[in-house]
Amino acid sequence: MFNWFKLIGRNMRRNLLRTILTTLTMVLATFIYTVLVSVPASMDRIISDASGTLRLIVNNKTAPWEDLPARYCDQVRKMPGCAACVGITGWFATWRDVSEPVFGAAAGPEIIDVFPDYQISAAQRDAHTKERRSAIVGSILMHKYGWTVGQQVTLRGTDAGHIEMPFVITGTTKAKRYPNTFLFRRDYLMETLKAHNQGDEDIAWQLIVRADSANDLAPLAKEIDEHFANSDYETRSITESDALASGLSALGNIRGIVFALCAVVVLTVLLIAANSTAMMVRERISEVAVMRSLGFGRGSLSILLFGECLTIGLVGGLIGAGVALWMFHNGVTLGAALGGTGALWVTPEQAVNAVVVALAVSFVSGLVPIVQALRISPAMAFRKVV
């Protein structure tokens, strides 16, 4: 059997520098493409994961950016279908400098009952209750800053007062939902703000309610809104997935931008690869004619020429997608890019998709010049000799 792989390898080594540069271009393009397509996929994953929870987000109806009294939870907990309720107060801060932002979420001890998927152990729960400065941090945020359980960190608020608050990391969450979490005690935040003449200890940014079952979500949301209707702080209750979808949509048409960038990347690489293939085929015109005269058919020559193109696409695609998968398979925080609610993940499915795209681009880039080369008459070999 004819060893096509050996012949393809030898041909690719004829102009080794061009082969390497074209492959590196494919590596870089595949890496960028893999990361880009993972952004909308990560957004979909955040919303999809939230759709399976039993939580409601309760905001101020008049103005969603306004606060709500945390004492509302006392009344919500008594409603039928309510499993738990907690008031959340956000706190924007930085660690060592402004390039290391942290979005803190201050909540009462009920947060553990509202978010059982945080998988907080009994030991972590006890430590969080006993230590006033306790903080429970998401896995991705821990990895980003190199924090460890037991470490003391001091965060500085971004508000006008630039309040500094020391914390002790007493635990970490393994859940994939909200992996950028920096969760700490709300009473600690309120006491600190009060000491600096800031904040109202009864005010929360929003309430988060967990229902007993999926069937209780709609009735519970309706009862909450009706109960606080015509009050000083009217409410608007929506499911967690709807709240996340609304928040992500506020970022703009991220999906359209990403797909446009993907198209630019693919088109750019297609032109580069096509130019490289055209030069390769032009150098092989006489060889193709000689091989035709020796009895090689168009099918055999197609295997040889397309084999070189597809080998470059396969090697470049595997390396580029593999590096992206290795770097981002555990997720990486994007901060404000996803509203602080999630992270970027590259999955094996997305990596495989990127390799397929790399192969497709390699095939299409060689289609026109190779088809033209296959039309060469065997007599061309003798003309070249003469």
Side-chain angles (χ1 to χ4, degrees), residues 65 89-95 97-98 100-106 155-165 167 182 184 189 193 198 205 335-336 339-341:
W65 56 87
T89 301
W91 185 57
F92 293 101
T94 59
W95 183 26
D97 54 57
V98 294
E100 297 175 327
V102 176
F103 177 70
L155 301 183
R156 186 181 187 186
T158 59
D159 53 11
H162 297 294
I163 300 173
E164 291 189 354
M165 296 183 65
F167 297 94
F182 189 93
F184 63 103
L189 175 64
L193 293 178
Q198 297 184 30
W205 278 19
T341 58

Side-chain angles (χ1 to χ4, degrees), residues 32-42 258-259 262 344 350 353-354:
I32 295 174
Y33 176 87
T34 307
V35 174
L36 285 176
V37 298
S38 297
V39 173
S42 297
V258 167
F259 288 151
C262 288
L344 170 71
Q350 289 154 4
N353 171 265

Side-chain angles (χ1 to χ4, degrees), residues 79 173 175 183 207 213 260 264 279:
M79 296 180 181
T173 66
L183 181 65
L207 309 181
S213 67
V264 170
M279 290 190 292

